[in-house]
Amino acid sequence: MSAAAEKGPDGDKLEKILNIIGNTPTGDVEAALSGCGFGPTAEVAELVLKSRDCYSRPKSAVRFFRWAARSVTHTPYAWNLLVDILGKAAMFEPMWDAIRSMNQEGGGGLVSVATFASVFTSYCARGNFKEAAAAFDVMGRYGLKPDAVALNSLLSAICRVEGGAEAAREVFERTKAAVPPDADTFAILLEAWEKEGNAERAKSAFGEMVVRVGWDPANVPAYDSFLSTLVRSGQFDEALKFLQVMRSKGCLPGINFFHNAVDLLARKGDYANALAIWQIMVSEAGLVPNFSMYNGMIALCCNVGSLDYALGMLDEMPLNGVFANSVTYNVILEGFIKHRKAREAESFLKEMSKNEQLPTASNCAAAISLFFKEFNPSAAINVWRCVVEHDITPAEDSARELIAGLLDFGRLTEVKKCADEMIDMRVELSQSTIDNMKRAFIKADKHQSYDHIARRLKRR
């Protein structure tokens, strides 16, 4: 909390103390504090120690702590903050001095697992894994039993460091006989192996977890990390086998695995497995897919022609607080076009217009081509009207398809009108398109109409 956020006398004290710590030479801090004419409350002492000023000026923080102790009894939290400040500054000897003082000050009651969690984090942040493990080994001297909670704090601190998984495994192997691991222990290790992509180590940890702590539906992070590691390592078939075993035990992973699995299967075009995974996710795990998962699955459905399922997902998205964008709509439109569903494409284009979602330039060209092939020139012209109205660019492909289709249907009046629009829009017409128009107009004995177009093309 900032000094500005504080109100009343405590706020004034906090502001003055922080000003002294932040602007006074370290050696003069205690004297400056003593001269301010007041002492802090325990709450103010905590707020000061939490401040950036203390973390950036650890020696001044020590002097403040010593000065404040003349007026108040520091809380366990304040002591832990001091330990954290010193550890983060790599002032490890003073840090241990503070811990020993805590042990003496409170008859051993002030030192807690939280104190040592801070120590582990400070050592590990500097890559000092051995010193962190040594700190774990001496917890008993301070009246603390090195249990699974403490072990997990140590492993978590090690695993937060890049490349720390192997060091964590070594600590685990050394301590597991004396300190029985729990489900969280394995979840931490499995997450570390996931981060490092080591599927073999993950399998080993997972097997030991099942033997030691059994199956637990609440242990979602462990299952999630394990299966995600297999998927990312290219062992998808293995992941599916383990998933089936988990299901039989009433245990399922979290959204991370399902996201990775759906993404992989969508890219592989494996519709059957993707659909099976999707149904497990929503029906059994009760998880809500995110935007990218919906888009990936909808694209896969459209690619294989399962367009009704894709439309169902589109309708379902807002019910789950996920809202489709033009990418989603265009994927479905592209599916209708690819599978020559002309009536459905025409209807869907109307829905897109209603929802203010524009088709892409490539989809416009493809839709115009499809509608002419399916003997629906009016629908093709409507797509061109959309291109013109919304200035969908590049428009060259749509223009080419439109003129080719209108020429095939002998609708030269529309050709002349649309050619004028294209020239106004500065759409580049290919020479083959121009030649096709010329032949059609001359054959129909409409030289004047073509001459009008030719003159305009020359003046561009």
Side-chain angles (χ1 to χ4, degrees):
M1 186 182 299
S2 67
E6 288 288 306
K7 303 295 181 183
D10 278 357
D12 293 337
K13 289 181 181 179
L14 176 60
E15 187 174 355
K16 289 177 182 176
I17 291 169
L18 290 177
N19 185 56
I20 290 171
I21 292 172
N23 298 289
T24 306
T26 300
D28 300 331
V29 166
E30 278 190 84
L33 289 169
S34 297
C36 67
F38 60 81
T41 63
E43 182 183 7
V44 167
E46 290 179 357
L47 290 170
V48 170
L49 290 166
K50 282 200 301 184
S51 71
R52 285 191 300 252
D53 295 283
C54 280
Y55 273 87
S56 62
R57 307 188 67 174
K59 291 181 180 179
S60 294
V62 172
R63 284 166 169 73
F64 162 75
F65 191 89
R66 196 161 49 207
W67 169 77
R70 299 171 195 163
S71 303
V72 297
T73 299
H74 282 301
T75 63
Y77 181 48
W79 277 101
N80 282 345
L81 284 168
L82 179 65
V83 169
D84 196 53
I85 289 167
L86 295 169
K88 282 186 169 52
M91 296 171 63
F92 295 119
E93 282 301 322
M95 177 189 76
W96 282 109
D97 287 342
I99 293 172
R100 284 187 282 271
S101 295
M102 287 175 74
N103 199 41
Q104 294 166 2
E105 184 84 14
L110 291 179
V111 183
S112 65
V113 172
T115 311
F116 275 88
S118 172
V119 172
F120 301 152
T121 299
S122 295
Y123 274 129
C124 291
R126 302 272 172 170
N128 297 336
F129 299 144
K130 288 184 179 179
E131 289 85 347
F136 176 81
D137 293 336
V138 302
M139 289 178 68
R141 297 180 192 174
Y142 298 89
L144 298 173
K145 182 180 179 181
D147 58 8
V149 174
L151 175 62
N152 293 345
S153 293
L154 172 59
L155 295 178
S156 183
I158 296 173
C159 291
R160 279 196 293 272
V161 179
E162 190 72 27
E166 184 59 30
R169 187 193 68 80
E170 290 172 3
V171 169
F172 170 74
E173 292 295 336
R174 182 175 63 81
T175 60
K176 66 184 181 182
V179 183
D182 61 12
D184 288 340
T185 310
F186 290 102
I188 292 165
L189 293 172
L190 286 166
E191 184 179 344
W193 295 129
E194 179 194 0
K195 188 165 68 174
E196 297 194 6
N198 194 325
E200 296 312 307
R201 287 293 194 198
K203 288 178 186 177
S204 175
F206 184 80
E208 187 168 356
M209 178 185 74
V210 171
V211 171
R212 282 182 170 270
V213 301
W215 295 95
D216 180 1
N219 199 11
V220 172
Y223 305 133
D224 196 53
S225 291
F226 176 56
L227 292 181
S228 294
T229 305
L230 296 182
V231 170
R232 289 176 176 172
S233 300
Q235 301 182 34
F236 188 77
D237 290 342
E238 283 275 287
L240 281 184
K241 291 176 185 176
F242 276 106
L243 177 60
Q244 295 307 328
V245 173
M246 290 178 190
R247 289 177 71 198
S248 71
K249 303 293 183 181
C251 299
L252 289 169
I255 194 69
N256 186 43
F257 161 71
F258 288 109
H259 185 281
N260 290 330
V262 169
D263 179 63
L264 174 69
L265 291 168
R267 284 188 281 111
K268 288 175 63 176
D270 188 344
Y271 176 69
N273 276 322
L275 185 59
I277 290 289
W278 187 275
Q279 289 174 340
I280 292 171
M281 174 179 63
V282 297
S283 300
E284 298 182 37
L287 297 171
V288 176
N290 60 29
F291 175 76
S292 65
M293 292 175 73
Y294 267 116
N295 268 12
M297 194 64 188
I298 285 172
L300 179 57
C301 291
C302 292
N303 191 47
V304 300
S306 185
L307 292 155
D308 286 342
Y309 203 85
L311 289 174
M313 285 189 170
L314 180 67
D315 291 339
E316 174 190 303
M317 288 175 73
L319 301 178
N320 285 326
V322 183
F323 300 97
N325 65 4
S326 62
V327 174
T328 319
Y329 279 93
N330 274 286
V331 162
I332 296 175
L333 176 59
E334 187 177 346
F336 283 130
I337 295 168
K338 175 182 176 180
H339 295 282
R340 298 194 65 157
K341 304 279 188 180
R343 281 182 296 182
E344 291 86 345
E346 184 180 10
S347 175
F348 193 69
L349 276 163
K350 291 175 183 175
E351 182 177 344
M352 289 179 68
S353 176
K354 183 175 67 176
N355 292 326
E356 299 182 341
Q357 301 289 347
L358 294 176
T360 61
S362 59
N363 273 345
C364 287
I368 290 170
S369 175
L370 172 66
F371 291 145
F372 278 122
K373 288 173 183 174
E374 298 297 321
F375 305 98
N376 191 351
S378 62
I381 292 171
N382 285 338
V383 176
W384 176 251
R385 297 264 64 80
C386 178
V387 171
V388 174
E389 181 181 347
H390 296 287
D391 192 24
I392 298 173
T393 57
E396 280 73 16
D397 290 343
S398 293
R400 183 189 67 246
E401 295 294 346
L402 181 71
I403 289 178
L406 290 173
L407 290 174
D408 285 343
F409 276 80
R411 299 175 70 158
L412 299 184
T413 302
E414 283 97 335
V415 170
K416 180 177 177 296
K417 177 184 177 183
C418 292
D420 275 332
E421 284 180 332
M422 293 166 190
I423 294 168
D424 290 339
M425 292 169 65
R426 299 186 179 278
V427 175
E428 192 70 32
L429 296 176
S430 68
Q431 189 59 49
S432 61
T433 298
I434 294 170
D435 291 343
N436 288 338
M437 284 195 293
K438 181 177 181 179
R439 280 193 294 270
F441 278 105
I442 291 173
K443 184 178 179 180
D445 197 23
K446 293 189 176 183
H447 298 75
Q448 287 184 335
S449 294
Y450 176 73
D451 289 343
H452 167 80
I453 295 171
R455 284 194 301 272
R456 293 209 63 200
L457 286 169
K458 285 180 180 179
R459 290 200 297 267
R460 284 195 305 179

